[in-house]
Amino acid sequence: MNILEAIQNRRSIRKYKQDDLPEEVLHRILEAGRLAPSGKNFQPWKFIIVRDEKLRRQLAEASARQYFMAEAPVIIVACGFPEESYARMGRYMKSWVVDVAIALEHMMLQATAEGLGTCWIGAFEEKEVKEILGVPEEVRVLALTPLGYPAEEPPPRARKPLEKIVSYDRY
Ligand SMILES: Cc1cc2nc3c(=O)[nH]c(=O)nc-3n(C[C@H](O)[C@H](O)[C@H](O)COP(=O)(O)O)c2cc1C
């Protein structure tokens, strides 16, 4: 699968088989995140791989009770270090949100290429997630994703056409 095919095939998956994934597959997915670009190459991130069933259920509970997350054998919790990130992106913001998002999306695309499903989870209570996993105070949780073999094949969701989202030479 080339990169555009992975991008085209990726879907938010909300039903999972319980089959575990091979260690080497997980390793390639994590490697795809590790190689992501980041502001000044600071790599202000840590990814918690949650396999424990009880913890997965607690994380789903803390994510607006999206219990489908716990069906997958793995949940990845993407954390960022604001104080270790490039502080003047565009001269107005810290880069950690962008950095961690790029790395997680790299992982999600590699997961697609491996035949696995993911779903970006943004609806979660950060305080609860941090308590469940013992995340230090200064570390922020950006997103979670379940990772497992899909048990559904959702159709593609609509996207705006290129003419609406691209302009040339001027805004
Ligand atoms: C920042 C962000 C937060 C999201 N939060 C959730 C979520 O909490 N639960 C969920 O089921 N999907 C969530 N999604 C997935 C979107 O609903 C999904 O990407 C969008 O509808 C397009 O569908 P597709 O991913 O299948 O192309 C989120 C996506 C993003 C980028």
Side-chain angles (χ1 to χ4, degrees), residues 27 53 66 97 110 125 143 159:
H27 179 81
E53 198 180 335
Q66 299 186 80
V97 170
Q110 182 60 28
E125 292 294 332
R159 293 294 193 269

Side-chain angles (χ1 to χ4, degrees), residues 85-156:
S85 73
Y86 173 51
R88 285 175 47 77
M89 200 174 71
R91 300 289 175 265
Y92 75 97
M93 70 183 290
K94 292 194 169 97
S95 69
W96 71 276
V97 170
V98 174
D99 298 331
V100 177
I102 293 171
L104 185 59
E105 175 67 359
H106 269 206
M107 290 185 196
M108 290 168 76
L109 290 176
Q110 182 60 28
T112 305
E114 302 277 358
L116 286 154
T118 57
C119 183
W120 190 288
I121 299 292
F124 62 90
E125 292 294 332
E126 190 198 30
K127 193 167 171 290
E128 287 176 32
V129 170
K130 287 175 73 163
E131 269 168 25
I132 293 164
L133 300 176
V135 176
E137 202 183 320
E138 68 280 9
V139 175
R140 303 306 301 261
V141 177
L142 183 76
L144 300 82
T145 179
L147 175 68
Y149 292 98
E152 63 169 357
E153 285 185 23

Side-chain angles (χ1 to χ4, degrees), residues 14 63 67 83 139 163:
R14 299 184 178 91
S63 303
Y67 292 115
E83 299 317 316
V139 175
E163 313 81 83

Side-chain angles (χ1 to χ4, degrees), residues 32-39 41-45 98-100 102-103 106:
R34 190 179 74 86
L35 296 176
S38 60
N41 199 25
F42 282 160
Q43 306 161 61
W45 50 49
V98 174
D99 298 331
V100 177
I102 293 171
H106 269 206

